[in-house]
Amino acid sequence: VKTIRALLLLSVALSLPSIATGGPDPAKIIAVTIDDLPFVGYGLGLGETAAYTDRLLQPLAGRNIQAVGFVNERNVLIPGEMDARTGLLKKWIDRGMILGNHTFSHLDSNATSLQEYEADIIRGGTVTGILQKASAGAPRYFRHPMNHRGKTPEYRAAVDQFLAAAGYSAVPFTIENSDYLFAYVYAAAVKAGDRELAGRVMRAYLEFTEVICGWMEQQAAEAFGRPIPHVLLIHANALNSDGLDALLDLLEKRGYAFAPLGRVMSDPAYQTPDGYTGAAGPSWIYRWQLSLGKPSGLKGEPEPPEWIVREFEARRKASAVRRPEGSSGLS
Ligand SMILES: [Zn+2]
């Protein structure tokens, strides 16, 4: 029996070109997902936003990565700017990306009635639906804003059912790097022409991404006893437009190959139930740890550098702008 199993494993191994050629570990694949499209601009004009969008898409297209961008159509359907803002989304389609629904207005399901939430989902798929028809057959993806799934099991189940009936797959994430904190300070530094600070923020961002990747890989191994494919969550902002190439390099150096979201989500780990019932929006790895009866690593998660948090809080207070998750406007 052992021999047969060994032969079977060998034949599987031989059928995977990546192993035969000594390429990346097939378990070490990662999908890139980018939230809050068209763009979190912190006051950038439409022209600048278009240039930043090109820069964000360039390293993805250059590496043949099919990222999924999650759209808040509230920030597309703005009178007088609809064409320009739809044009930003069209850039994604033209470069082979997939657009997903992130609700119309970035609603927090923890604070929204079921009816209102479902209406916002329907309303959130209008423009992307039209654009996506040009690339027919594209999967329909949905991501909960703030990764909040609602306060009660009944609410969560109702939304799941609603999404399934509408043909949407709800998309989890496993790795995120608190990019919105860095992005806010970065945008302010760029605006002020402070290159030294912008450079420092970028270096800290990439260093923290490295730390969080290592941590989440370890959490996955503790949950499943093996490496699992990952879903990276970042946002459409200037920090990533300027830093995505380096970030993707960093992931490749860690041994990752980039894969479409559908392929990553077909890993059996992604069938694990979400065992998290709290109000926050943590990585699905912690949720899976809970439903698998494993200790959750959530409380031990590495924090972003203190100086970044401090700069973020100070600047946010000064300009009284809400967190990007709550107001992903361009304006
Ligand atoms: Zn969001």
Side-chain angles (χ1 to χ4, degrees), residues 35-36 102 106:
D35 284 12
D36 298 5
H102 196 39
H106 211 273

Side-chain angles (χ1 to χ4, degrees), residues 21-325:
T21 56
D25 180 344
K28 245 189 155 180
I29 55 172
I30 188 163
V32 179
T33 65
I34 304 181
D35 284 12
D36 298 5
L37 271 57
F39 204 78
V40 188
Y42 306 114
L44 288 177
L46 279 168
E48 283 173 295
T49 305
Y52 269 121
T53 298
D54 288 334
R55 251 145 74 195
L56 183 61
L57 291 168
Q58 209 284 322
L60 295 167
R63 294 170 203 236
N64 280 317
I65 298 172
Q66 187 181 54
V68 179
F70 288 94
V71 183
N72 298 123
E73 292 194 7
R74 175 187 65 180
N75 296 326
V76 179
L77 299 178
I78 290 178
E81 297 183 356
M82 274 170 57
D83 284 353
R85 287 166 186 258
T86 303
L88 295 175
L89 296 183
K90 208 172 161 293
K91 286 176 183 288
W92 288 71
I93 300 283
D94 290 345
R95 306 223 68 173
M97 309 301 152
I98 293 175
L99 295 179
N101 185 333
H102 196 39
T103 73
F104 182 80
S105 44
H106 211 273
L107 282 187
D108 179 354
S109 60
N110 289 354
T112 309
S113 76
L114 188 57
Q115 253 191 333
E116 208 185 324
Y117 197 64
E118 290 177 350
D120 215 59
I121 294 172
I122 295 175
R123 215 177 151 203
T126 317
V127 180
T128 50
I130 292 166
L131 289 174
Q132 211 96 255
K133 285 223 175 74
S135 55
R140 282 160 72 82
Y141 290 124
F142 174 79
R143 175 170 277 145
H144 294 79
M146 290 155 274
N147 295 287
H148 291 172
R149 296 192 54 224
K151 278 184 178 162
T152 66
E154 293 77 19
Y155 187 106
R156 291 168 180 219
V159 173
D160 285 348
Q161 255 179 18
F162 178 82
L163 290 171
Y168 281 111
S169 306
V171 176
F173 78 91
T174 57
I175 299 178
E176 65 95 27
N177 51 13
S178 300
D179 65 337
Y180 69 94
L181 293 173
F182 296 87
Y184 194 82
V185 184
Y186 184 80
V190 169
K191 196 175 175 190
D194 191 341
R195 284 179 166 218
E196 190 276 327
L197 176 60
R200 226 159 15 104
V201 173
M202 184 64 79
R203 284 192 296 280
Y205 174 55
L206 295 170
E207 272 166 32
F208 183 64
T209 301
E210 190 91 57
V211 168
I212 209 77
C213 282
W215 172 261
M216 294 318 301
E217 285 161 8
Q218 185 193 328
Q219 294 304 310
E222 279 169 24
F224 296 102
R226 64 172 175 100
I228 62 160
H230 285 280
V231 177
L232 174 74
L233 187 174
I234 57 174
H235 294 83
N237 55 41
L239 174 77
N240 288 317
S241 295
D242 291 340
L244 189 57
D245 206 33
L247 195 151
L248 297 173
D249 273 346
L250 178 159
L251 292 170
E252 280 185 350
K253 281 201 191 98
R254 294 190 75 82
Y256 285 102
F258 301 101
L261 180 59
R263 189 170 147 215
V264 167
M265 284 176 65
S266 70
D267 185 279
Y270 286 75
Q271 298 301 311
T272 315
D274 174 357
Y276 178 76
T277 52
S283 166
W284 261 253
I285 294 180
Y286 304 128
R287 302 169 190 243
W288 296 330
Q289 285 172 335
L290 289 167
S291 66
L292 292 169
K294 311 265 172 159
S296 166
L298 178 57
K299 287 212 175 92
E301 186 174 282
E303 300 281 350
E306 220 170 283
W307 73 271
I308 290 284
V309 179
R310 239 187 357 253
E311 290 277 352
F312 170 77
E313 294 292 350
R315 284 162 201 275
R316 192 173 58 140
K317 245 178 236 156
S319 64
V321 174
R322 286 187 298 148
R323 276 165 69 125
E325 286 109 319

